[in-house]
Amino acid sequence: MIDLQQRSIEIIKGWQFDGAYAACLSFSQYGYSWLRDGAWIAHGMAAVGQTASARAFYQWGARTLWRYRAKVDSLLAKLARGEALLESDYLPTRFKLDGDINQDDWPNFQLDGYGAWLWGLVQFVQAHDDQALWAETRPAVRLTVEYLAALWQSPNYDSWEEHRDHVHPSTLAALYGGFRAVESQEAGIVPAGLADLIRDFVLTRAVAPAGHVMKYLGNEAVDANLLWLAVPYRLLELDDPRFQATLTKIERDIHRPGGGVYRYRKDTYYGGGEWLLLTLWLAWVYLERRQPERARPLFAWAEAQATPTGEMPEQVGDHVLDPSMVDYWINRWGTSASPLLWSHGMYLLLKSKLKD
Ligand code: BGC
């Protein structure tokens, strides 16, 4: 039997270059480093003792963001002058492995990954009391906070690179979590009251009449990324009725009984299969709720999706939501991504938590 923890570490290290993690080099579209994916891969690696790899990722992020400080300054100056922004004014959602920005039409204005990076970096600094890393990354943290503070209310692509024209509570949760983390590390970087403002915005604008938080303002469906509201970003506590209602709806609408978790009901990407990393996320929520008996079957399901050589895909297509869309994506981009480093990162994280 393959040791999936060891294999995951090996796969992740194999696709880490000078700190940057490639999302999935064998998939035509994913040969880049995303801050969102990377933060979770690093968090998982650190959880199983691979601290050098995780640290290198945070350093890569800081180096890369600092490289674009002039871009952020000119965006802020444009905003101060009241000028409209162009799509090319924003920081990208993903970088080439050497930190370059790719010139293509991939959806770019997306903020949640920046929040995830801040959150993950602070967790790492605090867990390892790594003040040297904080000193090194601090200028990039300040820059990132300035960028996010200026733009948090602007509609931008969600974590799945969809719905550019909407405001997504999961994205706001990531910014909230990132800001709170930075505040806990050092006062004075995040503008006073900003995190509370974001939270109030979500609670006054994004709670559906039925009591759950919605996928985006104006769409009362749920998305599995709403789990982030509580775990890990704590915009809502686990026992908050609004989170409980969201969780109940996620369980009912997008968890296949005995199987995995879908992104959202109307997903058509590769037909809309069950995502390993989201199934592991739901397991994490159950662990935080002290329900290990509910977490274990989800973990076992995710583990069972690994290929015989220990590769964990992005999603599995045995029970897709829209079978008519499977071929469309295969013809466009080839078979779906595997191994996906983010799936492996979440696997490592949950593996370490289930040991406790
Ligand atoms: C997902 C993103 C992810 C990227 C790389 C996209 O299909 O929507 O969340 O960052 O793949 O894994």
Side-chain angles (χ1 to χ4, degrees), residues 114-334:
Y114 290 83
W117 183 77
L118 291 174
W119 183 88
L121 169 65
V122 173
Q123 304 309 305
F124 187 94
V125 165
Q126 295 181 348
H128 304 280
D129 193 18
D130 194 339
Q131 298 310 322
L133 180 64
W134 181 247
E136 180 181 334
T137 53
R138 200 173 165 276
V141 167
R142 292 189 80 100
L143 185 77
T144 306
V145 169
E146 268 188 88
Y147 176 73
L148 296 176
L151 295 173
W152 69 272
Q153 269 181 306
S154 312
N156 65 94
Y157 285 105
D158 66 12
S159 58
W160 315 131
E161 345 242 67
E162 296 175 335
H163 307 295
R164 166 72 176 85
D165 297 335
H166 292 280
V167 174
H168 309 276
S170 58
T171 296
L172 293 175
L175 304 188
Y176 175 87
F179 287 157
R180 282 277 186 246
V182 171
E183 282 173 348
S184 76
Q185 178 60 24
E186 184 177 324
I189 295 182
V190 178
L194 179 55
D196 285 333
L197 208 61
I198 294 177
R199 183 170 189 275
D200 289 348
F201 181 91
V202 171
L203 298 185
T204 50
R205 304 280 303 276
V207 179
H212 64 272
V213 180
M214 35 182 143
K215 177 169 165 60
Y216 57 77
L217 298 197
N219 178 343
E220 290 181 20
V222 284
D223 187 304
N225 63 16
L226 291 169
L227 296 173
W228 305 351
L229 286 167
V231 180
Y233 299 126
R234 289 293 191 274
L235 186 145
L236 288 175
E237 290 305 323
L238 284 159
D239 58 3
D240 186 294
R242 293 160 291 199
F243 182 70
Q244 288 188 358
T246 309
L247 178 60
T248 303
K249 192 163 167 61
I250 288 173
E251 290 167 337
R252 204 179 49 222
D253 292 359
I254 50 178
H255 174 218
R256 189 176 67 79
V261 174
Y262 298 101
R263 297 196 297 183
Y264 54 95
R265 200 75 222 166
K266 290 194 171 156
D267 193 4
T268 60
Y269 184 50
Y270 284 92
E274 295 145 278
W275 279 50
L276 273 66
L277 68 97
L278 293 173
T279 308
L280 292 161
W281 224 294
L282 183 58
W284 187 8
V285 169
Y286 289 144
L287 283 182
E288 297 277 311
R289 286 166 52 106
R290 300 186 200 292
Q291 296 175 302
E293 71 293 348
R294 301 187 77 177
R296 284 185 195 282
L298 294 170
F299 181 77
W301 178 87
E303 200 164 36
Q305 308 312 312
T307 66
T309 56
E311 300 188 351
M312 303 187 87
E314 174 176 76
Q315 57 168 293
V316 290
D318 308 336
H319 303 274
V320 296
L321 297 166
D322 183 352
S324 73
M325 287 300 285
V326 176
D327 286 346
Y328 167 84
W329 286 102
I330 294 181
N331 293 334
R332 187 165 169 197
W333 286 352

